[in-house]
Amino acid sequence: QELAADVVVIGAGGAGMAAATTANQAGKTVIVIEKASKMGGNTILSGGAFNAVDDGSETAIANKDSVEKHYTQTFEGGDKQGDPKLVRTLVENAWSGVVWLKSLGMEFQDGVFTVTGGMWPRAHKPVEPEGTGFFKTYQEYIDKNKGITMVYNTTADELIVENGIVTGVRCTGKSGNTITVKAQNGVVLATGGFGQNIEMRMKYNEISKKWPTLDASIPSTNTSGITGDGMIMAEKIGANLVQMENIQLLPLGDPKTGSLSGNIEHAVESRIFVNLDGKRFVNEGGRRDEMTLALFDQKDTTMYIVMDSDTYPKGDELNNFGESIASLVSAGRSLKADTLEELAQLMGVPADNLIGTVKAYNRYCKDGDLAGTADEFGRTLFSDTDGINNGINDGPFYAAVRVPTVHHTMGGVQINELAQAISTSGEVIPGLFAAGEVTGGIHGSNRLGGNALSDTIVFGRIAGTSASNFARQE
Ligand code: ADP
């Protein structure tokens, strides 16, 4: 079977759908090849946090935020390993990404919040739970407009190169049939990372030796199809893979599945991490890699997220993943108790320790005698701003158990600011564009929480435009 369109997109996750929609808005026909039976990828499983600064807006001023601060935190948060030009592109175009999504009908909640590892309150949160709002928006666009064909249950196997130009992709369909998909203009690679490819995880972790192990004992937040296919395909045709050894873990995995579901935190400011001794062990407002490395040093590499009823005043509110706290409690996935003493009993930690830990922590929160200063772990993000989250002191109290989980792979196909793929000899690969987690070199050694969705939208849109503009010189 042979299919053809102006632009071919591989992967129907966040970056792929942003690229497909943008190309269609530019008047192009688009075919999207997707391995799974539906769109969404890892993006739909995320908490939905979208970092973007509307420079000079009331929200930005109130939070002492700016595009420049977003740049600095992203660049330094990745140990200055990211390509400064790509980081600039990311932060300077993030807000217009929000505006674009709104123009397509997507709704965001008012204000911003601090997502774990985001380091600052600048995450916009969709009204719909998790990442579902993005895909509802794209599906509505597809239904209303002609020209985007979704081809599901179809796995891209190899890129087709003719006279040095990427012209399409060979795929395997549901029944093992071969499908060749040709592009009149460009091909966009948007297949995500390799968090579920254990062999690749272990191979590249050998280089950085950042994590004690990334073997099968460490779960992942990722959906099962996230196996590095795009990187493997691109490398075969000469693309340069960069910083593959930079792999991100979160300290927030469900102990059984590694998934983020069941995570009860709403925002950094209102919760603490407690180990099995009932003690805090890290700056919970810090970098994702530092928090997770610290968790590896705790007993059974296990911790609890602890907070009070400020986050769930009625007791049936939703977490960031659309699950109600009441349902998590009745399923035994969250613990709930009227006093800290009882909570400690449910957690199996020494009650004196937990009570002492919380008391010491509260001194830094609103009305505490140390409010406004950094604590012994260097934490500065406390619940001292809104007057509601004044520390952990109002029962009922909540705790949920969490373990390290592989979340994001920062390395991948090298691109430039036009999302053109770059070869091992440093040249643009004609016809090939890449966006999202399949690319490397933006986030450096550690991606800021909330920057992945911005990445998919910013570079997905750029890739869609670049692929539309690409014309083969016959
Ligand atoms: P990003 O956040 O970078 O957009 P996602 O994880 O959201 O990444 O989406 C990547 C998508 O690519 C997933 O839906 C995944 O199933 C799809 N995918 C991965 N490998 C292939 C492949 N070989 N062929 C087709 N689709 C693929």
Side-chain angles (χ1 to χ4, degrees), residues 42 45 193-198 201 214-227 247-250 252-261 402-409 437:
N42 273 347
L45 304 177
F194 61 91
Q196 288 287 17
N197 187 324
I198 309 248
R201 267 160 47 170
L214 290 186
D215 67 12
S217 70
I218 309 295
S220 172
T221 61
N222 290 195
T223 177
S224 58
I226 304 301
T227 45
I247 299 173
Q248 175 166 86
L249 274 71
L250 282 176
L252 305 172
D254 178 283
K256 288 206 184 80
T257 64
S259 113
L260 293 176
S261 87
R402 296 281 108 180
V403 299
T405 184
V406 176
H407 186 53
H408 188 100
T409 51
E437 202 178 338

Side-chain angles (χ1 to χ4, degrees), residues 37-354:
S37 58
K38 53 183 186 336
M39 60 172 81
N42 273 347
T43 304
I44 204 165
L45 304 177
S46 74
F50 189 126
N51 285 346
V53 186
D54 180 12
D55 235 354
S57 66
E58 260 176 53
T59 306
I61 291 165
N63 289 303
K64 299 189 181 63
D65 203 9
S66 62
V67 168
E68 200 52 39
K69 190 174 184 86
H70 189 191
Y71 174 85
T72 305
Q73 288 194 315
T74 300
F75 189 56
E76 290 178 358
D79 293 317
K80 304 185 180 177
Q81 287 184 30
D83 177 339
K85 289 203 227 69
L86 297 179
V87 180
R88 278 258 165 246
T89 305
L90 176 74
V91 300
E92 286 177 0
N93 294 287
W95 177 249
S96 67
V98 173
V99 173
W100 178 72
L101 287 163
K102 286 183 178 171
S103 78
L104 294 172
M106 183 160 165
E107 292 176 302
F108 286 87
Q109 298 179 21
D110 291 337
V112 289
F113 77 109
T114 312
V115 64
T116 291
M119 324 280 292
W120 207 254
R122 67 168 67 93
H124 299 263
K125 194 167 171 199
V127 168
E128 301 283 334
E130 303 180 283
T132 57
F134 294 89
F135 298 97
K136 194 178 152 204
T137 305
Y138 295 131
Q139 189 61 55
E140 279 169 8
Y141 178 88
I142 292 172
D143 294 344
K144 267 192 252 148
N145 298 275
K146 285 203 185 74
I148 299 182
T149 307
M150 302 299 300
V151 182
Y152 291 114
N153 300 304
T154 298
T155 302
D157 300 316
E158 61 178 333
L159 295 165
I160 300 168
V161 184
E162 295 172 282
N163 303 322
I165 300 171
V166 175
T167 58
V169 59
R170 241 181 300 281
C171 312
T172 305
K174 202 176 184 178
S175 51
N177 52 313
T178 300
I179 306 173
T180 304
V181 191
K182 297 296 289 285
Q184 192 58 42
N185 301 106
V187 174
V188 178
L189 197 57
T191 46
F194 61 91
Q196 288 287 17
N197 187 324
I198 309 248
E199 210 178 296
M200 281 175 81
R201 267 160 47 170
M202 291 174 68
K203 170 180 157 186
Y204 289 111
N205 188 49
E206 261 318 295
I207 298 173
S208 62
K209 296 200 164 44
K210 179 152 184 161
W211 305 103
T213 176
L214 290 186
D215 67 12
S217 70
I218 309 295
S220 172
T221 61
N222 290 195
T223 177
S224 58
I226 304 301
T227 45
D229 303 12
M231 291 144 186
I232 296 166
M233 279 189 278
E235 190 176 32
K236 273 204 187 115
I237 64 137
N240 194 29
L241 301 186
V242 292
Q243 299 179 357
M244 294 290 281
E245 68 282 10
N246 290 340
I247 299 173
Q248 175 166 86
L249 274 71
L250 282 176
L252 305 172
D254 178 283
K256 288 206 184 80
T257 64
S259 113
L260 293 176
S261 87
N263 178 5
I264 61 174
E265 66 183 4
H266 260 200
V268 164
E269 288 84 351
S270 49
R271 77 338 177 219
I272 54 172
F273 300 161
V274 170
N275 65 17
L276 297 185
D277 295 323
K279 295 191 170 157
R280 288 179 60 214
F281 56 92
V282 74
N283 168 12
E284 302 95 336
R287 291 167 51 142
R288 289 177 163 186
D289 54 352
E290 289 171 4
M291 291 189 279
T292 314
L293 281 169
L295 178 54
F296 269 103
D297 289 337
Q298 308 307 308
K299 204 185 277 176
D300 297 343
T301 60
T302 296
M303 69 172 198
Y304 284 95
I305 296 182
V306 175
M307 65 192 64
D308 72 359
S309 62
D310 289 342
T311 304
Y312 300 105
K314 294 203 298 280
D316 60 357
E317 294 89 343
L318 304 181
N319 66 2
N320 287 346
F321 301 88
E323 302 159 312
S324 83
I325 188 72
S327 72
L328 291 173
V329 171
S330 59
R333 299 179 70 200
S334 173
L335 306 171
K336 179 182 183 182
D338 287 330
T339 65
L340 282 172
E341 201 156 15
E342 288 167 63
L343 190 73
Q345 252 167 28
L346 294 176
M347 293 162 67
V349 307
D352 290 352
N353 287 359
L354 183 66

